[in-house]
Amino acid sequence: MSTQAVPRRILPKRARKETSYYPSESESENEAKVDEAYNSEEEVTRPSKKIKLNITVENPKRLPRQKIFPFMLLPAEVKNIIYAYALISSYEVPLVSKTKGYRHTIALGNTDTFQAFNRREYRDEEGDWVRRSGKKLPVKKPSFAPTIIALNREIHTQAQPILYGANAFTFEDPKALLAFCANIGPHNCAHLEEVSLKDWGDTVVRRAICHPAFAMLANAVNLKSLSLECAIRWGDGLGTARQFFRDGHNWLEAVGMKEGRKDAAVDRARLGMEHSARPLFSENVGEVHNASKEEQVEKLDKMTEVFRAELIRLLKA
């Protein structure tokens, strides 16, 4: 007995109406009637039987009350404007080192009191800056929402360059810089454009972290400004340049290789006023006077000139 295959019947596609995100007047009236029926005092305890309402609906496919805005369908230019409002801070982003779940990570610090080598202040266990008298200093943290990059992969990919490239990050010490670069990865490090370091390390152990921190920063070849707002080494710019080259040669050489010029990173490294804030000793033994603003600026300019000349010599050696 031969079996004959039954031909399959191909049905045409069902015509669907266009979905609208703007409810019509009839839908708004119907929703109001349903809310009034369920929220009335007579229907506090819902009956077992369903309530029959004489409601005529034009569109059988009703949208939910909490309608989802089609954000992903917006043009790229509009989404970048929204990302900028949500991810760019109006001032620098201070970051401090922190241990969470036995892991080295970072936390958002305090902008107004983020000082280096200021022994009148210290950080407590919660990360707040406190004066030696025990009085907490006012807290002012950046107003931005970086958590939106965790919504989905597409937003994560689109928003990362804006988050890391348009903000100025300030680090408490090399430990915070090392934890930051290790957590965001080399791909995101390449987006960094402005970085400041507030402390080079007040002990031998802390200063030993500078080299691995700058080795991780070697991926930030697009960095436009590396501000050293800390005293790397007391003295002239010669010793400062040698110490910075000893710990940061990985980043200096990576930028030079990317730009095709060995000393390309020299112009991007800037010395802060901390290098010229040391009191000046007079000719008389024991007499010390604090340098004025003009004297500090003049001293910093001379140090910067020597600092850059020595860096160029070391990079080309």
Side-chain angles (χ1 to χ4, degrees):
M1 183 176 178
S2 62
T3 58
Q4 186 177 1
V6 179
R8 295 181 60 185
R9 183 180 178 185
I10 300 176
L11 298 176
K13 292 185 178 180
R14 183 176 56 183
R16 300 189 178 185
K17 294 183 178 180
E18 184 179 357
T19 304
S20 175
Y21 289 94
Y22 299 95
S24 60
E25 296 180 359
S26 59
E27 291 182 4
S28 301
E29 294 176 358
N30 294 336
E31 291 182 359
K33 291 180 181 180
V34 174
D35 293 340
E36 184 178 357
Y38 279 98
N39 297 332
S40 61
E41 296 180 356
E42 298 177 359
E43 300 293 337
V44 174
T45 57
R46 296 187 178 182
S48 58
K49 295 182 179 181
K50 295 182 178 179
I51 300 176
K52 294 182 178 181
L53 300 176
N54 296 326
I55 300 175
T56 57
V57 182
E58 296 179 359
N59 188 2
K61 295 180 180 179
R62 296 184 57 186
L63 297 175
R65 295 182 181 179
Q66 294 180 349
K67 300 175 179 62
I68 301 175
F69 181 77
F71 176 78
M72 304 309 299
L73 300 179
L74 293 175
E77 296 80 4
V78 178
K79 286 193 287 187
N80 288 338
I81 294 174
I82 297 174
Y83 292 148
Y85 278 111
L87 298 175
I88 299 179
S89 176
S90 56
Y91 39 88
E92 63 182 8
V93 181
L95 298 174
V96 298
S97 59
K98 183 181 179 181
T99 303
K100 184 177 181 181
Y102 298 99
R103 295 177 176 88
H104 289 291
T105 181
I106 54 172
L108 201 60
N110 191 330
T111 303
D112 290 344
T113 59
F114 205 67
Q115 304 293 334
F117 286 106
N118 191 344
R119 298 308 173 198
R120 294 174 299 175
E121 302 166 356
Y122 67 96
R123 274 197 308 118
D124 59 7
E125 297 178 355
E126 299 178 358
D128 297 325
W129 286 90
V130 184
R131 293 196 182 277
R132 291 297 177 184
S133 59
K135 181 180 178 181
K136 280 192 175 184
L137 296 171
V139 177
K140 183 179 179 181
K141 295 185 177 181
S143 56
F144 68 130
T147 52
I148 68 168
I149 65 173
L151 291 177
N152 56 46
R153 290 186 178 181
E154 186 173 353
I155 293 179
H156 187 271
T157 304
Q158 296 172 354
Q160 272 185 335
I162 298 176
L163 174 63
Y164 296 110
N167 284 307
F169 295 96
T170 303
F171 298 94
E172 178 190 27
D173 51 17
K175 185 179 179 181
L177 177 61
L178 176 62
F180 177 78
C181 295
N183 281 282
I184 67 174
H187 177 72
N188 291 325
C189 277
H191 297 306
L192 296 175
E193 293 188 2
E194 189 171 351
V195 169
S196 299
L197 187 62
K198 291 292 185 180
D199 191 358
W200 196 260
D202 54 348
T203 62
V204 177
V205 177
R206 289 182 179 273
R207 286 194 294 270
I209 305 177
C210 292
H211 180 244
F214 280 98
M216 293 294 295
L217 192 65
N219 298 297
V221 292
N222 297 315
L223 201 63
K224 296 180 180 179
S225 173
L226 176 61
S227 182
L228 304 173
E229 301 291 339
C230 55
I232 299 177
R233 183 175 178 178
W234 292 117
D236 57 0
L238 190 66
T240 301
R242 292 175 179 176
Q243 182 65 43
F244 177 64
F245 181 81
R246 185 182 294 111
D247 293 331
H249 65 87
N250 297 93
W251 175 74
L252 292 168
E253 294 170 351
V255 175
M257 187 178 298
K258 189 253 182 184
E259 297 294 337
R261 186 166 53 92
K262 291 185 177 181
D263 58 346
V266 175
D267 296 334
R268 307 182 187 186
R270 297 178 175 87
L271 297 179
M273 292 299 296
E274 289 289 336
H275 293 84
S276 60
R278 192 178 187 184
L280 300 177
F281 291 87
S282 61
E283 297 179 354
N284 299 327
V285 179
E287 292 185 6
V288 180
H289 73 278
N290 294 323
S292 62
K293 189 69 175 181
E294 293 76 12
E295 291 176 334
Q296 291 183 14
V297 172
E298 183 180 358
K299 181 181 178 182
L300 181 62
D301 292 339
K302 293 180 180 179
M303 284 189 62
T304 302
E305 185 178 354
V306 177
F307 172 78
R308 291 182 175 178
E310 182 64 14
L311 276 183
I312 293 173
R313 187 191 69 81
L314 294 172
L315 287 169
K316 292 184 177 181

